[in-house]
Amino acid sequence: MSHVLAVDAGTGSCRAVVFDALGTPVATSSRAWEHDPEPGIPGSMGFAVDRNWALVVDLVREALATAGVPAAEVVAVSATSMREGLVVLDAEGREIWGCANVDARAGAEVAELAARGGVEQQVYHRSGQTFALAAQPRLLWLARHRPEVYDRARTVLMLSEWVLYRLSGVRAMEPSNGSTSGMVALATRDADDELASICGLRTGLLPDVVEPGTVLGPVTSAAARDTGLDPGTLVVVGGGDAQLAALGVGLTEPGQALVVAGTFWQQVVNLPEPVTDPQMRVRVNAAALPGLWQAEAIAFHAGTAVRWFRDTFAGPEVAAARADGRDPLDVLTEAAAEIPIGSEGVIPIFSDVMNYRRWKHAAPSFLNLSLDGGPRLRSAMFRSLLENAAIVARENLALVEDFTGAHPDRVVLAGGSAKSLVWTQIVADVLGRPLRIPAVTEATAQGAAACAASGAGLFASPAEAAAGWVRWDREVEPDPAHHEAYEDVVDRWSRAYAAQRALMTAGLTTPMWQAPGT
């Protein structure tokens, strides 16, 4: 049987997943990776190309070995990655600089560009991106602080395209990840020189832009030796992680909505046209399919906060779970289910509703705690984190509906958090809409695999592959009474968060995260 390989280069980890021709993952190899700050550069988050390529090589070899699949049966490979991260090549194809997605070194350049009257608005309405995480301020920083590197720069690649470049030797970009650079026009899904020149950058830094599913060529002999892949394996264009997650769960039509509930909660709504928000609150990206775009909002650290609570406050629950051979998060979630809606008045201050133009979050905190303490208080605090993520998802969806007119009648919830019966019910109740939970746990990798399968000729298009592979685990119906009860909870949270945001803005508290230049 033919197989395909997907490389998923995420923010906190990288994985290689082998899929069979029916879309079933047969082997996964995954490992955490870190992106180191550059010495003396505040806010920097570099991307170590040689170290990270060595990790990709190891993961591919491990996945192939675990699958027990002959290399010749892996007919194609594709890649997906965190968006916004960059690798810069010189004329000879050498990697001369790179950064990961939330690199924040270019705060001064972001502020300078934003202060130029109308420039950020023009870039946003043309590309769907503000300067918060776009490529222009980072490249401007490079021109000013590493001019010898900038002068040598010839090609800018997104990280998924860098993986494909290492495999094939071909420089290319695709519109889904490429659009998050701020240098690809939404309307044309192609590089736009004006998006560079308006920011004082030279033009021509982006390679040819092709659609996901395009074959770049075979794996090079050097990459075949490194990875164990067959030299005849086709290298196929993939895309950005959120866009390929949507593809992986078969969301290929306008009006469909997805929340990928992981470390961050990425929320997308498919759009038939590249419309942008007049208030610049939400980013808009090219989807992984031609003729489709996505409004996207992000809840920061929803999954991080849950793990932080487990490790910081839940010592008794962790000890009890481990004694019983259980996952501590399951124990915490079961206890949270016994707490009523509203978490007994505990108000969580973590992720804010998205405001892309002024992207910042208040200091992490819990408000309105009782001095009674004990296990019940911990359970209420933990439940409040689950409710916080759901509330932000609801308010972010309202932002998208406000400027697009879309109103999805159901939402697909994918990612690690979707495995929790308690958390998914909370999300359905807060949204007041049914949820569909896909059976696949590797939606992003499955989207990349769909691109690979299409490029190999197993399907006519990535959309056809995704539609043929998607399977559903369950549906979650909202409880109308619970939805009504959450109205007051959402209102209290919104007013409390505004007060905490004001403290952060006044400099009295430290933001959980803020975009460069805000």
Side-chain angles (χ1 to χ4, degrees):
M1 177 185 288
S2 296
H3 291 74
V4 294
L5 174 70
V7 176
D8 180 0
T11 299
S13 65
C14 185
R15 56 179 46 83
V17 187
V18 178
F19 290 82
D20 66 21
L22 302 177
T24 305
V26 297
T28 300
S29 181
S30 177
R31 206 168 302 162
W33 61 2
E34 296 181 355
H35 311 296
D36 304 324
E38 294 182 22
I41 310 298
S44 62
M45 181 183 282
F47 187 78
V49 290
D50 289 335
R51 184 182 72 197
N52 290 336
W53 174 246
L55 178 61
V56 171
V57 165
D58 287 347
L59 293 174
V60 170
R61 284 190 168 274
E62 289 174 9
L64 293 175
T66 302
V69 175
E73 288 189 10
V74 180
V75 294
V77 56
S78 189
T80 180
S81 74
M82 59 176 128
R83 282 85 52 81
E84 302 99 20
L86 307 172
V87 171
V88 178
L89 308 180
D90 67 9
E92 286 71 43
R94 292 184 291 257
E95 297 115 327
I96 56 176
W97 188 77
C99 69
N101 54 354
V102 291
D103 181 282
R105 76 184 71 206
E109 287 73 22
V110 170
E112 176 191 323
L113 290 171
R116 297 181 188 176
V119 170
E120 188 169 36
Q121 292 89 328
Q122 184 176 344
V123 168
Y124 171 76
H125 292 298
R126 200 177 185 106
S127 72
Q129 313 300 309
T130 69
F131 290 132
L133 296 175
Q136 294 98 326
R138 294 168 174 176
L139 294 174
L140 192 58
W141 182 95
L142 194 66
R144 291 175 173 175
H145 297 275
R146 301 285 188 273
E148 72 286 356
V149 176
Y150 180 75
D151 288 344
R152 292 169 55 203
R154 292 295 178 271
T155 306
V156 173
L157 298 177
M158 311 306 288
L159 296 184
S160 49
E161 281 77 51
W162 167 76
V163 173
L164 301 179
Y165 170 72
R166 279 280 191 153
L167 289 167
S168 70
V170 178
R171 309 183 196 199
M173 183 172 283
E174 57 76 38
S176 72
N177 206 348
S179 64
T180 69
S181 73
M183 298 172 68
V184 169
L186 285 174
T188 64
R189 299 171 67 91
D190 202 353
D192 187 332
D193 283 344
E194 189 174 349
L195 291 168
S197 61
I198 197 175
C199 299
L201 298 168
R202 71 173 190 268
T203 60
L205 288 172
L206 298 191
D208 290 342
V209 179
V210 297
E211 291 289 345
T214 300
V215 176
L216 296 181
V219 170
T220 66
S221 57
R225 283 195 307 271
D226 288 345
T227 61
L229 290 167
D230 189 87
T233 301
L234 297 177
V235 180
V236 182
V237 174
D241 54 6
Q243 291 97 320
L244 286 194
L247 174 65
V249 296
L251 298 191
T252 61
E253 299 295 332
Q256 295 175 319
L258 166 70
V259 177
V260 182
T263 299
F264 289 26
W265 280 29
Q266 299 165 312
Q267 186 167 344
V268 300
V269 177
N270 286 347
L271 306 176
E273 298 178 346
V275 296
T276 52
D277 179 14
Q279 299 181 56
M280 297 171 61
R281 297 165 296 179
V282 174
R283 76 190 304 188
V284 181
N285 307 316
L289 300 174
L292 196 66
W293 293 263
Q294 290 172 337
E296 179 185 10
I298 300 172
F300 264 60
H301 291 300
T304 310
V306 165
R307 294 191 296 273
W308 164 78
F309 183 90
R310 174 199 62 194
D311 297 339
T312 306
F313 295 103
E317 289 81 2
V318 169
R322 288 177 176 164
D324 293 338
R326 302 184 62 199
D327 185 334
L329 290 177
D330 290 340
V331 173
L332 285 164
T333 302
E334 290 170 6
E338 301 302 316
I339 302 297
I341 288 171
S343 302
E344 297 190 332
V346 175
I347 302 175
I349 306 297
F350 292 86
S351 180
D352 197 359
V353 179
M354 188 162 177
N355 183 355
Y356 197 22
R357 192 175 186 183
R358 297 288 180 267
W359 209 357
K360 57 180 67 176
H361 303 268
S365 56
F366 292 99
L367 305 182
N368 206 32
L369 299 181
S370 166
L371 293 181
D372 291 342
R376 190 167 181 86
L377 176 60
R378 290 196 299 275
S379 298
M381 295 166 69
F382 188 78
R383 181 184 177 100
S384 79
L385 294 176
L386 310 185
E387 292 181 336
N388 186 191
I391 289 169
V392 175
R394 163 183 158 145
E395 297 303 285
N396 280 339
L397 183 57
L399 293 182
V400 174
E401 292 176 337
D402 179 55
F403 79 90
T404 66
H407 188 80
D409 58 1
R410 66 182 62 244
V411 173
V412 173
L413 185 67
S417 305
K419 293 183 288 187
S420 168
L421 299 180
V422 174
W423 206 347
T424 52
Q425 187 63 57
I426 289 173
V427 174
D429 291 345
V430 172
L431 294 180
R433 307 180 203 204
L435 304 180
R436 295 192 83 185
I437 313 299
V440 64
T441 58
E442 298 279 2
T444 299
Q446 184 155 310
C451 293
S454 171
L458 303 180
F459 294 89
S461 67
E464 182 181 274
W469 286 353
V470 68
R471 301 288 185 271
W472 300 103
D473 178 55
R474 66 189 191 278
E475 296 207 5
V476 184
E477 292 291 332
D479 184 312
H482 291 177
H483 178 64
E484 184 175 355
Y486 270 117
E487 294 297 326
D488 286 341
V489 177
V490 173
D491 179 65
R492 291 178 68 247
W493 177 86
S494 298
R495 288 188 285 134
Y497 203 103
Q500 294 298 308
R501 191 190 307 115
L503 291 176
M504 178 271 297
T505 302
L508 298 176
T509 57
T510 302
M512 181 177 74
W513 182 83
Q514 62 181 355
T518 54

